[in-house]
Amino acid sequence: MLSRRLLRIKVAKALFAHLKSDADNMIASEKTLMASIDKAYDLYFLMLALPVELARYAGQRIEIAKAKKLPTFEDLHPNTKFVDNAVIRTIANSDAVNDHLAARKLGWAQHPDFIRTLYGQLCESEYFQDYMARGERSFDDDRRLVEDFFKEMQTCDALDDLLEEISILWNDDLPYVLVLVLRTLSMLKPSHSELKIAPKFKSDDDPVFVKTLFEKSLVNYDKYQDYIEKFTSNWDVERIVFMDNLIIGTAMAELTEFPSIPVKVTLDEWIEISKFYSTPGSSTFINGVLDKIVESLTAEGRIRKSGRGLI
């Protein structure tokens, strides 16, 4: 399932877009937010299909080589370890993957240049050459190859550029989606005939969390900003960036509206998010302001947590 970290980031981005564009339709902005989450889940399936497309391309190259007028010994006796990879075959035969791709009209067929380039990079990689050179291979070897491939995709500029070109909603989604893909592969067993697909959400609580956090943060935005000013009076207002205030306000909404989420979880999550989506010094600033806000809101009785171990 998509992580709560990614869901929080999606909310922050939707709030930023709504507020910066001076939009006045919260429902429309919320629909865009949920659509961006749907797109992140689409990316999960699209990434699962990527090694399948590469193996298909490799198979086509083998058939073309065999059809040469003067094929070499290697052309007629190709190494088919990658084409026959058991993990890739399981993904390729997955009804869940294929049905989702078809329903959402997703696939790699429209990007042959990218597939050709990526296959060339794969063939040059040390882990791929080691895999292809082995006399014997196990299911674990097949899975390890696919896992190594997806780990390489975490720093693939060509993939980043293509995904940005396909959908702006996929900006920054890839690292979180690849974690989900690797988790899916880790659960695959040789006896499995179907891939166990991760659900979009862990439970029905997640979409409620997203919508409530967005709505409460937006409706109470001005109130939260007024409250924040009490704890930033000694700071140069011009130096407090918009995103810092947005993150603090959204954290306030989470602190006060979700009694089952521990205070520490909320603080840790939003401070971590600020490290990537605001200025270099923002996390320290936000941490200090939120500590004071938590103390004040708790004294006012506005932070009330329920459940074992919650504070």
Side-chain angles (χ1 to χ4, degrees):
M1 64 285 181
L2 301 178
S3 69
R4 278 285 178 97
R5 171 76 59 81
L6 180 57
L7 297 181
R8 287 181 173 93
I9 291 171
K10 292 289 188 182
V11 169
K13 286 185 173 182
L15 288 167
F16 185 93
H18 182 97
L19 293 166
K20 281 296 187 180
S21 65
D22 293 322
D24 58 4
N25 190 329
M26 184 176 72
I27 294 176
S29 294
E30 187 176 284
K31 286 182 178 179
T32 300
L33 164 61
M34 300 310 293
S36 74
I37 293 172
D38 290 341
K39 288 295 291 182
Y41 195 51
D42 285 345
L43 184 57
Y44 165 64
F45 287 91
L46 190 62
M47 291 309 301
L48 282 171
L50 185 53
V52 175
E53 190 66 29
L54 290 172
R56 185 178 295 119
Y57 175 72
Q60 292 170 350
R61 287 173 57 91
I62 288 174
E63 293 306 315
I64 291 172
K66 286 181 178 180
K68 289 179 180 178
K69 288 185 177 181
L70 296 173
T72 65
F73 179 84
E74 288 76 15
D75 291 334
L76 295 175
H77 301 85
N79 186 337
T80 61
K81 289 188 179 73
F82 179 57
V83 174
D84 295 333
N85 183 289
V87 171
I88 295 177
R89 185 169 60 247
T90 300
I91 299 173
N93 295 332
S94 169
D95 289 338
V97 173
N98 292 326
D99 288 349
H100 189 96
L101 292 173
R104 300 286 287 181
K105 298 180 180 179
L106 300 167
W108 297 101
Q110 295 179 336
H111 309 285
D113 291 343
F114 169 73
I115 294 300
R116 182 169 56 253
T117 299
L118 193 60
Y119 180 72
Q121 293 176 358
L122 175 65
C123 290
E124 293 175 0
S125 67
E126 184 176 345
Y127 70 88
F128 182 82
Q129 293 176 5
D130 178 67
Y131 169 81
M132 296 295 281
R134 293 175 195 167
E136 299 287 340
R137 78 180 194 282
S138 65
F139 183 85
D140 284 341
D141 290 331
D142 283 356
R143 176 168 50 201
R144 192 174 301 111
L145 173 80
V146 182
E147 289 175 339
D148 287 343
F149 166 73
F150 280 120
K151 290 173 183 176
E152 285 287 310
M153 292 302 96
Q154 294 174 341
T155 56
C156 179
D157 292 337
L159 177 60
D160 288 338
D161 292 342
L162 180 61
L163 293 181
E164 185 177 351
E165 177 184 320
I166 297 173
S167 175
I168 193 172
L169 294 177
W170 281 337
N171 187 31
D172 300 334
D173 287 354
L174 185 60
Y176 300 95
V177 168
L178 288 177
V179 169
L180 190 56
V181 168
L182 290 170
R183 190 176 300 147
T184 300
L185 294 176
S186 71
M187 296 186 292
L188 185 60
K189 306 295 182 184
S191 59
H192 291 174
S193 58
E194 177 61 75
L195 195 66
K196 184 176 175 58
I197 295 299
K200 185 190 307 181
F201 299 114
K202 183 177 182 180
S203 69
D204 292 340
D205 291 340
D206 277 354
V208 174
F209 167 77
V210 170
K211 292 179 181 179
T212 302
L213 184 60
F214 177 76
E215 292 169 2
K216 295 296 183 180
S217 298
L218 189 55
V219 170
N220 297 309
Y221 182 78
D222 290 337
K223 292 181 181 178
Y224 291 150
Q225 297 309 309
D226 290 341
Y227 198 90
I228 292 168
E229 285 184 9
K230 296 190 299 183
F231 303 94
T232 57
S233 57
N234 294 329
W235 286 78
D236 182 354
V237 176
E238 296 298 324
R239 295 185 62 189
I240 302 176
V241 299
F242 177 82
M243 195 62 180
D244 287 358
N245 281 331
L246 186 150
I247 287 174
I248 295 171
T250 310
M252 286 180 63
E254 184 173 324
L255 287 165
T256 56
E257 299 294 338
F258 298 93
S260 64
I261 300 177
V263 169
K264 187 177 187 305
V265 169
T266 297
L267 297 185
D268 288 348
E269 285 291 291
W270 286 107
I271 291 168
E272 282 300 309
I273 289 171
S274 72
K275 293 178 182 178
F276 296 93
Y277 292 94
S278 199
T279 64
S282 289
S283 60
T284 302
F285 167 72
I286 290 173
N287 187 19
V289 174
L290 280 176
D291 280 344
K292 296 175 182 178
I293 287 176
V294 167
E295 183 179 354
S296 180
L297 290 175
T298 301
E300 295 170 13
R302 294 174 61 185
I303 294 181
R304 298 177 180 178
K305 300 297 179 180
S306 60
R308 180 177 298 178
L310 298 183
I311 58 174

